[in-house]
Amino acid sequence: MSVIWDTPADRKAEWRGAGAWLAGDTLVRGRFDAVTGFDAATGERSWEYVPPGRSSVCHSTADTARSVLVLVRDGDGASSPAKDKSCTSVVAIDMQDGHELWQARLSEPDPLRLQDSSVSAGGGVAVLLQQDQLRAVDVRTGKPRWKAALPKGCVPGRTAAAEHQIAAVLACGGEDNPWDKKVAEDAELHTAAFDLATGTPVWGGTPDDDRLDGDSGYRLLVQDGKLTVLTSHRKNPYRVRALDPATGGQREVSDLPDGMDSADRIFTYRDRLIVARYDAYSTGRRPFTAYERR
């Protein structure tokens, strides 16, 4: 393969807000301090969104089929001591031109081990964690769509959105809660799915419907017709479980070696492969490189 184009090397950055997506003819790169769009044909920068004031991006997600990126940022502040560091402000951005579409507020995540990112996007909706409930809004307008009915005694955490369903990690039950937190220290973590149209539960979310064989799920990815769950276990610290999004049936289980880093993404565009390096921003590498396939 030969290089067609390269984007300029990025300056070093924090890890927060990192991500890369392809929506139509636009590549989008997310960083803690800005989100930038590039022309996928030429690699030239086409737009940039910079959070207002001294706020920074905490997390980014996207519904690429509808060209909408949804980011979570912290509060404005002239100086570090005065800055609102809670990541509760949601902003939706048109991925074709960088224009802002709508804003919303999230509940402050508690605890961080369960809810490091409280928003996901896909299938025409953005799923927000508000007042310990999963609420879906139209991804382009921000108008309310539905509220999910959770199993009794469960608190929602991370979510992942696909075309027809929303997957979520739920913390349920537990008695070890001396500080009266929303989630007990010994709460059980389960994976559940809700319908991407009504919010009606489809499967999972309870000890009687455990799809992870007793493991604790903490990262979700819905892609290419399957739900991938990264889980932890005492004997095998990291496992990857591939589930059927429609039924929760387990397709594949594999153990990962200790210390394995997360992989960057590769996109197919026309007759080219485009490599994204958003997980390596601390080294100042080039965000995107396009290769011609021969």
Side-chain angles (χ1 to χ4, degrees):
M1 295 189 294
S2 59
V3 176
I4 301 298
W5 53 256
D6 259 328
T7 52
D10 251 333
R11 61 191 181 280
K12 293 183 179 180
E14 296 180 15
W15 61 268
R16 297 197 305 168
W21 304 269
L22 174 63
D25 297 321
T26 303
L27 289 160
V28 177
R29 179 267 275 131
R31 284 169 47 112
F32 84 102
D33 56 354
V35 180
T36 308
F38 298 87
D39 187 317
T42 65
E44 295 181 357
R45 190 172 75 172
S46 54
W47 57 263
E48 186 171 60
Y49 171 87
V50 179
R54 293 178 178 267
S55 60
S56 58
V57 178
C58 308
H59 172 70
S60 299
T61 183
D63 185 341
T64 56
R66 292 154 186 86
S67 295
V68 178
L69 181 136
V70 182
L71 63 86
V72 181
R73 63 176 180 84
D74 56 21
D76 301 340
S79 61
S80 182
K83 182 176 180 179
D84 178 8
K85 296 183 179 180
S86 61
C87 298
T88 56
S89 297
V90 181
V91 181
I93 297 172
D94 191 314
M95 299 176 75
Q96 299 305 311
D97 55 22
H99 288 164
E100 190 175 300
L101 297 172
W102 52 267
Q103 293 188 11
R105 297 287 293 181
L106 297 173
S107 299
E108 190 168 352
D110 179 27
L112 292 176
R113 68 182 178 90
L114 179 65
Q115 301 162 355
D116 63 340
S117 57
S118 302
V119 61
S120 61
V125 300
V127 182
L128 314 178
L129 176 63
Q130 295 178 327
Q131 300 176 346
D132 295 331
Q133 296 178 329
L134 295 180
R135 299 174 182 266
V137 300
D138 186 278
V139 76
R140 290 205 65 89
T141 67
K143 294 181 178 179
R145 292 277 294 272
W146 51 257
K147 178 178 68 176
L150 303 180
K152 184 178 180 180
C154 293
V155 175
R158 298 172 179 85
T159 61
E163 280 301 311
H164 300 292
Q165 289 180 332
I166 302 292
V169 172
L170 305 180
C172 305
E175 299 178 353
D176 184 9
N177 195 5
W179 306 109
D180 195 26
K181 294 183 178 180
K182 296 177 181 177
V183 180
E185 291 295 326
D186 59 344
E188 295 181 331
L189 302 183
H190 301 283
T191 301
F194 302 86
D195 186 280
L196 262 173
T198 65
T200 304
V202 178
W203 55 260
T206 67
D208 296 331
D209 193 8
D210 179 19
R211 306 304 175 107
L212 303 181
D213 297 334
D215 283 7
S216 293
Y218 61 92
R219 184 174 298 173
L220 303 171
L221 174 64
V222 181
Q223 189 176 16
D224 298 330
K226 64 181 179 181
L227 167 63
T228 301
V229 186
L230 187 60
T231 69
S232 61
H233 189 270
R234 289 187 299 273
K235 295 182 179 179
N236 302 94
Y238 299 104
R239 281 177 174 165
V240 175
R241 295 180 179 271
L243 309 181
D244 187 317
T247 66
Q250 195 161 248
R251 294 180 177 178
E252 183 181 350
V253 181
S254 58
D255 294 330
L256 298 180
D258 293 344
M260 181 175 179
D261 295 330
S262 59
D264 296 350
R265 300 190 67 177
I266 296 178
F267 303 104
T268 300
Y269 178 74
R270 298 178 181 174
D271 59 346
R272 304 171 182 175
L273 290 179
I274 299 178
V275 176
R277 304 186 183 92
Y278 60 87
D279 277 347
Y281 277 167
S282 60
T283 64
R285 297 169 64 189
R286 300 177 185 273
F288 296 107
T289 300
Y291 296 91
E292 182 181 28
R293 295 185 292 181
R294 295 178 177 176

